[in-house]
Every structure is written in C-alpha cells, then in structure tokens.
Amino acid sequence: MDKLTNRWRLLLLLLVAVSILSLAAIVWIERQPLGFVRELRAEIHAASPEGDNSAYEPPPAVVSALSALFTLAIGGIFVLYLFPTSIQRMSRALSISLKGLLRLTGLGLLSIVIAGVIGVSAAFSTSVFPVTIALAAILILGSYLGIIAMSYTLGRILLNRAGWPHLSPVYALLLGVFILYPFAELPYVGIIFKILFASLGAGAVVATRFGSGKLWNLEPLLEDNNL
C-alpha cells in the first residue's frame, strides 16, 4: 500500500469524523433539520380551527436528523437498484473538471429558474394550473435523482482513491450521503449548499436527459416531415 493511498484513507476518515461532529453539533444546538417543514407544519396547525401553535411539539433534532439520513439512504439505495444505468451516466457527467461542474451547476440553476417562471406563470390561470404542480414534481424528482448521483459519485471517488474500488455501490452512496448531508444543515450557509446541491444535481439530470445519455435535439421530429 503506497503513501498516497494511506493519505486518501486518512482524508476519508477525517471527512467522516467531520460529518459526525457536524451532526452532533446540529443536535446539540437543537437546530431543526428541514426547518422549513417544521415551520410549515406549525403554520398549518395554527391556522386550523382547533390549532394551537403553542401546543405544537416538533420532533427532537436528533430524531429529525436521523430520519432525514435514513430517508436519503434508503431512498437512494432504492434509486440505485431501479435506475443503475441512469445513475451511472449521471455519475460520469459529474466526474469531470471543476470547470465542468460549474457548467453543470449553472445549467441546473438556469433550468430551475426557467421551470419556476413557467410554474408561477401557470399558477395565474386555472386552466393551466396543473402545469405548476407537474413542474414542481419534475423539479423535485430531478434534483433528488441528481443529488443521489452526486452522493454516489463522491463516495465512489473517495473509495477508489482509498484503495477500495471493489466495494458495493451501496457503500459509495451511503458514504457520499453521510458526508454531504451536514453541509446542507449548517446554520445560515446551509441554504447556499442546498441550492448548490440542487442545481448541480438538476444540471446532471438535464445534461444526461434523466440519465438516458441521449442528446438534446429535435431530429426525431424531422423524421415526420414526410407525413
């Protein structure tokens, strides 16, 4: 085993340790992960006829953090088994230079903004209002698939560098999720990481057409010119 491999293993252990300490800090300061969900639930409860916001008891921070990690991990494993080829193609799109990652992030952010504008525009008309719901669902699904691919890619790169290239893809996914999750829950700057992760994930999805690997073009429509 060479010195470079040992250094990568030390780096991997350091990242895991930082993630554990970050999660412990989140729990210790009673920061509520996915706080916007908590606030939304509180507002809905307070607005209900029998609602009493003072009586609303949010789940403990440790329960919320563990449930979020569990959901991302189990959901991610499910996605790996359902769409292994798609995740592989998105992972290849993410395994590029920093410049390429910035390009994917910009593409994803642009896609989210365009979809958001269309969704808001559709919300003003009852006839096309379902478009808003459909676009929101597509955005959430696309960003989630991209984040799973991003977590898997990070975990696979670290395991390969550490000399463990033959471990199951599930370990790579779990490692990536465990390392990335605390960044999205950091106080104040967590929202920035959430936007970056969602944009990069959406960019990978858009660039690979949901992992199909096909190019974005209108050539199939040109085949109908003889109709």
Side-chain angles (χ1 to χ4, degrees):
M1 189 184 300
D2 56 24
K3 293 183 179 180
L4 183 60
T5 300
N6 284 332
R7 290 176 182 175
W8 275 104
R9 290 189 176 183
L10 288 175
L11 176 61
L12 193 156
L13 293 175
L14 178 62
L15 289 174
V16 171
V18 170
S19 296
I20 293 174
L21 291 175
S22 299
L23 288 173
I26 290 172
V27 173
W28 183 72
I29 65 177
E30 289 298 319
R31 171 170 163 75
Q32 173 66 37
L34 300 179
F36 67 94
V37 176
R38 173 192 179 189
E39 295 171 2
L40 179 60
R41 289 177 178 173
E43 292 176 2
I44 294 175
H45 185 79
S48 63
E50 68 280 0
D52 181 8
N53 195 35
S54 61
Y56 178 74
E57 292 290 339
V62 62
V63 173
S64 184
L66 291 177
S67 65
L69 276 173
F70 179 81
T71 301
L72 287 171
I74 299 302
I77 294 172
F78 189 60
V79 168
L80 286 186
Y81 277 99
L82 279 179
F83 312 107
T85 304
S86 298
I87 294 298
Q88 180 191 49
R89 290 188 179 120
M90 285 188 277
S91 177
R92 289 175 178 172
L94 290 165
S95 302
I96 50 180
S97 63
L98 177 60
K99 183 178 180 180
L101 291 177
L102 292 175
R103 187 183 300 112
L104 284 179
T105 302
L107 175 62
L109 183 60
L110 179 62
S111 301
I112 291 174
V113 171
I114 292 175
V117 171
I118 296 174
V120 171
S121 175
F124 287 100
S125 175
T126 56
S127 60
V128 292
F129 178 73
V131 173
T132 301
I133 301 175
L135 283 175
I138 292 173
L139 277 177
I140 294 173
L141 176 61
S143 296
Y144 178 71
L145 289 176
I147 289 173
I148 294 301
M150 184 168 56
S151 300
Y152 165 75
T153 303
L154 174 62
R156 176 53 65 194
I157 290 174
L158 290 174
L159 290 177
N160 287 346
R161 297 292 190 275
W164 296 312
H166 302 300
L167 290 179
S168 169
V170 172
Y171 291 111
L173 170 69
L174 295 179
L175 177 62
V177 167
F178 191 71
I179 291 175
L180 291 178
Y181 174 75
F183 286 95
E185 297 304 328
L186 290 173
Y188 306 111
V189 298
I191 184 63
I192 298 177
F193 282 104
K194 288 177 182 176
I195 294 173
L196 287 175
F197 292 163
S199 299
L200 181 56
V205 169
V206 172
T208 60
R209 288 184 61 181
F210 279 86
S212 67
K214 298 179 180 179
L215 298 176
W216 288 91
N217 58 65
L218 300 177
E219 290 183 4
L221 297 178
L222 297 176
E223 299 173 359
D224 296 335
N225 287 342
N226 295 325
L227 292 178

